[in-house]
Amino acid sequence: MKSLIAFAFAAALSGVLPLHAARAQDNAPIMIASTLPLSGNVASFGEMARWGAELAVAQVNAAGGIRGRKVQFDVQDNRCNPAEAVKVTTQMLSDPAYVALFDGLCSSVVLSVMPVVERERIPLVVATASATSISDKSGVGGNPWTFKFNPSDATLAVAMVDWLKKQGLADKIAFLGEDTDFGRSGASGFETALKAGGGKLAAADFYQQGTADFSAVLTKLRSMQPSVLALYALAGDQRNIVSQFMTSGLKMPLTGRLITDVIPAEIIKSGAIDGSTSVQPYSFEIDTPENKAFVAAFKAAHGREPNAIAYSAYDAMRTLLDAIARAPSVDRTAVRDALKATRMQSLIGGEIVFDENNLAHNYAVILQIKDGKVSIVGLSKT
């Protein structure tokens, strides 16, 4: 099917498209390419992103598709590896039938494929990667094809630091993050947010993904006694750090991008990290009719509540599908221009509008662990 579409597309451009081929093209699926980490350390995140995006596509197809055409969502494994992502993306985009590229999940992956989408002149919608440098390099930053749906680490950090200031916990913040674009971007966001009030991080430490022993940095933290520890770690690393933090005897609250569905439920229920906070782009408990419908549909499909990654993938895919439906054609440039003109409601009550850096400004959600339970304590416009 893909080779027939590619032939029809090329023939149409050359002006020799036979009538029967044109009709076949009219009925062909609208194709969206994607790479996600489907294996490796963050494969569980890739699975959630895939489920969220696939749900949005399935709902559109169930309603008749776009202009009567079904949407086809093709995903390849990038292993959260920039070199692998460039290789796979280049292979997929050699097929001109694809009208857009979706996500990548890992910040380093997205940054590595941005030159590819610019060369291929195809819109890229970033659902989950959070590095601030992605939007810094998009729109007026240089790459007109990349659109970032979820808040950047910088805008999330501002929301988190503002809340910590109101609680009197921002005077001595230590930072521990992975040595990646995600971790470095998180530290930069906290530094910038604190600097606005004349403050700075008390300490910033970074580690390589997969590090087993954090005793040295935890000993350092015991001696300096920060007011809170901001943590930017993913998946197994986060579980490992939190487990070692608990056995170390440290008592300060955790904050940052604490992913509560990564931390074992028994740790949260024990009350051992009560007072800890997290800034996220989403909580399944947000009380809007649209979000309730999404949560119900996701649970029906997968037997569990969606997390922030599944939400971002779902709402970002809705945004892309809306742009394809509004575009005068499925030409890549027409879809890009329609994305630029986006103005729609997000599931969580915010308005999705892209700024001059092609960055949307949805809500940030402040979560807090109290009495062994996670609850929403605030929403902040990013």
Side-chain angles (χ1 to χ4, degrees):
M1 176 64 77
K2 288 168 60 175
S3 61
L4 175 61
I5 294 168
F7 166 77
F9 192 92
L13 290 177
S14 65
V16 295
L17 184 68
L19 181 59
H20 69 277
R23 287 173 176 166
Q25 181 181 346
D26 288 344
N27 294 324
I30 296 171
M31 296 175 62
I32 299 172
S34 180
T35 77
L36 293 168
L38 304 178
S39 62
N41 190 43
V42 294
S44 61
F45 291 174
E47 182 178 57
M48 293 298 285
R50 182 174 188 165
W51 286 350
E54 286 180 340
L55 178 58
V57 170
Q59 290 176 341
V60 164
N61 284 337
I66 296 175
R67 301 189 190 95
R69 296 170 64 181
K70 298 292 186 184
V71 177
Q72 180 174 319
F73 180 53
D74 294 336
V75 184
Q76 298 288 330
D77 186 10
N78 65 32
R79 297 189 286 116
C80 198
N81 180 293
E84 180 69 14
V86 169
K87 174 186 172 184
V88 174
T89 300
T90 301
Q91 291 173 344
M92 295 186 83
L93 298 189
S94 65
D95 186 341
Y98 287 112
V99 302
L101 180 67
F102 185 78
D103 208 26
L105 197 137
C106 303
S107 293
S108 298
V109 161
V110 171
L111 287 164
S112 72
V113 302
M114 285 175 65
V116 178
V117 301
E118 187 169 18
R119 183 181 68 236
E120 297 294 335
R121 301 176 63 82
I122 187 169
L124 164 63
V125 174
V126 181
T128 51
S130 57
T132 305
S133 53
I134 295 171
S135 51
D136 286 346
K137 295 179 179 179
S138 301
V140 296
N143 188 316
W145 297 92
T146 301
F147 293 81
K148 193 170 182 311
F149 170 83
N150 62 327
S152 68
D153 285 319
T155 55
L156 289 173
V158 169
M160 189 72 257
V161 170
D162 284 347
W163 192 89
L164 292 170
K165 285 178 178 177
K166 292 175 183 175
Q167 308 306 312
L169 293 170
D171 58 327
K172 195 175 181 181
I173 300 176
F175 184 96
L176 175 59
E178 59 181 45
D179 192 9
T180 62
D181 288 303
F182 170 64
R184 292 284 176 179
S185 189
S188 176
F190 262 70
E191 283 280 23
T192 301
L194 288 168
K195 187 177 181 180
K200 64 179 184 179
L201 285 173
D205 291 277
F206 300 91
Y207 66 90
Q208 296 300 313
Q209 288 181 328
T211 295
D213 185 2
F214 291 90
S215 58
V217 69
L218 294 176
T219 299
K220 172 185 170 181
L221 292 170
R222 187 181 298 109
S223 66
M224 68 179 294
Q225 291 296 310
S227 56
V228 295
L229 172 61
L231 187 59
Y232 274 63
L234 294 176
D237 287 337
Q238 184 168 132
R239 285 192 290 271
N240 186 24
I241 293 170
V242 172
S243 295
Q244 293 187 37
F245 174 87
M246 289 182 59
T247 58
S248 71
L250 290 168
K251 300 297 183 184
M252 78 283 288
L254 301 171
T255 189
R257 295 298 301 279
L258 202 63
I259 303 174
T260 53
D261 63 350
V262 168
I263 300 172
E266 59 269 24
I267 291 180
I268 293 176
K269 291 178 180 177
S270 72
I273 54 174
D274 268 7
S276 294
T277 52
S278 180
V279 60
Q280 297 291 339
Y282 177 73
S283 166
F284 71 86
E285 294 182 327
I286 290 177
D287 189 18
T288 65
E290 295 81 5
N291 186 52
K292 287 181 176 178
F294 164 59
V295 172
F298 193 91
K299 286 184 70 173
H302 302 293
R304 57 161 294 176
E305 289 90 1
N307 64 9
I309 292 172
Y311 156 72
S312 293
Y314 178 81
D315 225 2
M317 180 58 81
R318 284 180 62 240
T319 303
L320 173 57
L321 296 174
D322 172 77
I324 294 173
R326 285 186 288 102
S329 73
V330 293
D331 172 77
R332 293 173 174 179
T333 300
V335 173
R336 180 200 63 179
D337 293 346
L339 277 167
K340 190 72 178 175
T342 293
R343 185 174 290 274
M344 63 181 287
Q345 289 296 119
S346 79
L347 297 186
I348 61 176
E351 186 179 35
I352 301 169
V353 178
F354 293 103
D355 67 12
E356 63 180 7
N357 284 97
N358 293 351
L359 172 66
H361 294 271
N362 209 346
Y363 282 126
V365 185
I366 308 297
L367 305 172
Q368 186 173 40
I369 303 172
K370 184 178 180 181
D371 298 329
K373 298 179 181 177
V374 181
S375 58
I376 299 172
V377 293
L379 291 176
S380 177
K381 187 80 165 57
T382 62

mmCIF file of all heavy atoms in Angstrom, residues 16-32:
data_model
loop_
_atom_site.group_PDB
_atom_site.id
_atom_site.type_symbol
_atom_site.label_atom_id
_atom_site.label_comp_id
_atom_site.label_asym_id
_atom_site.label_seq_id
_atom_site.Cartn_x
_atom_site.Cartn_y
_atom_site.Cartn_z
ATOM 1 N N VAL A 16 1.142 13.453 -14.349
ATOM 2 C CA VAL A 16 0.749 12.322 -15.199
ATOM 3 C C VAL A 16 -0.050 11.316 -14.404
ATOM 4 O O VAL A 16 -0.076 10.146 -14.736
ATOM 5 C CB VAL A 16 1.993 11.640 -15.810
ATOM 6 C CG1 VAL A 16 2.691 12.605 -16.753
ATOM 7 C CG2 VAL A 16 2.946 11.153 -14.719
ATOM 8 N N LEU A 17 -0.717 11.731 -13.339
ATOM 9 C CA LEU A 17 -1.445 10.807 -12.480
ATOM 10 C C LEU A 17 -2.677 10.288 -13.183
ATOM 11 O O LEU A 17 -3.566 11.046 -13.552
ATOM 12 C CB LEU A 17 -1.864 11.524 -11.194
ATOM 13 C CG LEU A 17 -2.562 10.671 -10.148
ATOM 14 C CD1 LEU A 17 -1.559 9.663 -9.573
ATOM 15 C CD2 LEU A 17 -3.107 11.548 -9.038
ATOM 16 N N PRO A 18 -2.773 8.981 -13.430
ATOM 17 C CA PRO A 18 -3.972 8.432 -14.068
ATOM 18 C C PRO A 18 -5.185 8.619 -13.170
ATOM 19 O O PRO A 18 -5.051 8.685 -11.952
ATOM 20 C CB PRO A 18 -3.622 6.948 -14.238
ATOM 21 C CG PRO A 18 -2.135 6.848 -14.078
ATOM 22 C CD PRO A 18 -1.769 7.967 -13.174
ATOM 23 N N LEU A 19 -6.397 8.632 -13.763
ATOM 24 C CA LEU A 19 -7.609 8.865 -13.011
ATOM 25 C C LEU A 19 -7.807 7.811 -11.927
ATOM 26 O O LEU A 19 -8.140 8.127 -10.799
ATOM 27 C CB LEU A 19 -8.815 8.875 -13.953
ATOM 28 C CG LEU A 19 -10.175 9.133 -13.274
ATOM 29 C CD1 LEU A 19 -10.171 10.482 -12.559
ATOM 30 C CD2 LEU A 19 -11.285 9.077 -14.318
ATOM 31 N N HIS A 20 -7.561 6.511 -12.281
ATOM 32 C CA HIS A 20 -7.788 5.469 -11.294
ATOM 33 C C HIS A 20 -6.809 5.601 -10.139
ATOM 34 O O HIS A 20 -7.132 5.319 -8.988
ATOM 35 C CB HIS A 20 -7.666 4.093 -11.943
ATOM 36 C CG HIS A 20 -6.286 3.729 -12.372
ATOM 37 N ND1 HIS A 20 -5.742 4.144 -13.575
ATOM 38 C CD2 HIS A 20 -5.319 3.004 -11.762
ATOM 39 C CE1 HIS A 20 -4.508 3.665 -13.692
ATOM 40 N NE2 HIS A 20 -4.226 2.974 -12.595
ATOM 41 N N ALA A 21 -5.568 6.072 -10.434
ATOM 42 C CA ALA A 21 -4.594 6.250 -9.361
ATOM 43 C C ALA A 21 -4.984 7.415 -8.461
ATOM 44 O O ALA A 21 -4.805 7.382 -7.243
ATOM 45 C CB ALA A 21 -3.208 6.468 -9.936
ATOM 46 N N ALA A 22 -5.510 8.489 -9.069
ATOM 47 C CA ALA A 22 -5.946 9.636 -8.272
ATOM 48 C C ALA A 22 -7.053 9.240 -7.305
ATOM 49 O O ALA A 22 -7.073 9.668 -6.148
ATOM 50 C CB ALA A 22 -6.430 10.748 -9.201
ATOM 51 N N ARG A 23 -8.001 8.375 -7.798
ATOM 52 C CA ARG A 23 -9.079 7.931 -6.912
ATOM 53 C C ARG A 23 -8.531 7.081 -5.777
ATOM 54 O O ARG A 23 -8.990 7.153 -4.640
ATOM 55 C CB ARG A 23 -10.102 7.162 -7.724
ATOM 56 C CG ARG A 23 -10.946 8.083 -8.617
ATOM 57 C CD ARG A 23 -11.840 7.303 -9.551
ATOM 58 N NE ARG A 23 -12.692 8.204 -10.326
ATOM 59 C CZ ARG A 23 -13.372 7.825 -11.399
ATOM 60 N NH1 ARG A 23 -13.283 6.572 -11.829
ATOM 61 N NH2 ARG A 23 -14.121 8.694 -12.039
ATOM 62 N N ALA A 24 -7.492 6.241 -6.095
ATOM 63 C CA ALA A 24 -6.877 5.430 -5.046
ATOM 64 C C ALA A 24 -6.241 6.314 -3.994
ATOM 65 O O ALA A 24 -6.331 6.056 -2.795
ATOM 66 C CB ALA A 24 -5.837 4.496 -5.664
ATOM 67 N N GLN A 25 -5.592 7.419 -4.446
ATOM 68 C CA GLN A 25 -4.964 8.324 -3.509
ATOM 69 C C GLN A 25 -6.005 8.991 -2.625
ATOM 70 O O GLN A 25 -5.791 9.183 -1.430
ATOM 71 C CB GLN A 25 -4.170 9.385 -4.275
ATOM 72 C CG GLN A 25 -3.446 10.374 -3.364
ATOM 73 C CD GLN A 25 -2.685 11.421 -4.153
ATOM 74 O OE1 GLN A 25 -2.493 11.267 -5.355
ATOM 75 N NE2 GLN A 25 -2.262 12.457 -3.488
ATOM 76 N N ASP A 26 -7.173 9.354 -3.230
ATOM 77 C CA ASP A 26 -8.228 10.005 -2.473
ATOM 78 C C ASP A 26 -8.704 9.128 -1.318
ATOM 79 O O ASP A 26 -9.149 9.639 -0.290
ATOM 80 C CB ASP A 26 -9.404 10.330 -3.378
ATOM 81 C CG ASP A 26 -9.079 11.468 -4.333
ATOM 82 O OD1 ASP A 26 -8.095 12.172 -4.081
ATOM 83 O OD2 ASP A 26 -9.804 11.610 -5.327
ATOM 84 N N ASN A 27 -8.643 7.821 -1.496
ATOM 85 C CA ASN A 27 -9.115 6.905 -0.463
ATOM 86 C C ASN A 27 -7.990 6.353 0.414
ATOM 87 O O ASN A 27 -8.264 5.593 1.342
ATOM 88 C CB ASN A 27 -9.842 5.721 -1.122
ATOM 89 C CG ASN A 27 -11.112 6.184 -1.819
ATOM 90 O OD1 ASN A 27 -11.801 7.080 -1.334
ATOM 91 N ND2 ASN A 27 -11.412 5.588 -2.957
ATOM 92 N N ALA A 28 -6.750 6.709 0.111
ATOM 93 C CA ALA A 28 -5.618 6.165 0.858
ATOM 94 C C ALA A 28 -5.586 6.747 2.262
ATOM 95 O O ALA A 28 -6.067 7.859 2.497
ATOM 96 C CB ALA A 28 -4.322 6.489 0.130
ATOM 97 N N PRO A 29 -5.020 6.022 3.214
ATOM 98 C CA PRO A 29 -4.921 6.558 4.578
ATOM 99 C C PRO A 29 -4.039 7.808 4.618
ATOM 100 O O PRO A 29 -3.120 7.956 3.817
ATOM 101 C CB PRO A 29 -4.268 5.408 5.356
ATOM 102 C CG PRO A 29 -4.433 4.204 4.530
ATOM 103 C CD PRO A 29 -4.476 4.667 3.101
ATOM 104 N N ILE A 30 -4.336 8.668 5.569
ATOM 105 C CA ILE A 30 -3.458 9.803 5.880
ATOM 106 C C ILE A 30 -2.412 9.268 6.845
ATOM 107 O O ILE A 30 -2.738 8.798 7.940
ATOM 108 C CB ILE A 30 -4.262 10.954 6.506
ATOM 109 C CG1 ILE A 30 -5.273 11.492 5.502
ATOM 110 C CG2 ILE A 30 -3.330 12.057 6.988
ATOM 111 C CD1 ILE A 30 -6.255 12.494 6.095
ATOM 112 N N MET A 31 -1.146 9.336 6.454
ATOM 113 C CA MET A 31 -0.107 8.617 7.187
ATOM 114 C C MET A 31 0.729 9.531 8.082
ATOM 115 O O MET A 31 1.198 10.584 7.658
ATOM 116 C CB MET A 31 0.778 7.861 6.203
ATOM 117 C CG MET A 31 0.000 6.772 5.446
ATOM 118 S SD MET A 31 0.972 5.960 4.172
ATOM 119 C CE MET A 31 2.269 5.236 5.150
ATOM 120 N N ILE A 32 0.899 9.115 9.334
ATOM 121 C CA ILE A 32 1.703 9.838 10.324
ATOM 122 C C ILE A 32 2.803 8.902 10.811
ATOM 123 O O ILE A 32 2.526 7.771 11.226
ATOM 124 C CB ILE A 32 0.832 10.299 11.505
ATOM 125 C CG1 ILE A 32 -0.260 11.257 11.020
ATOM 126 C CG2 ILE A 32 1.697 10.965 12.584
ATOM 127 C CD1 ILE A 32 -1.288 11.605 12.079
#
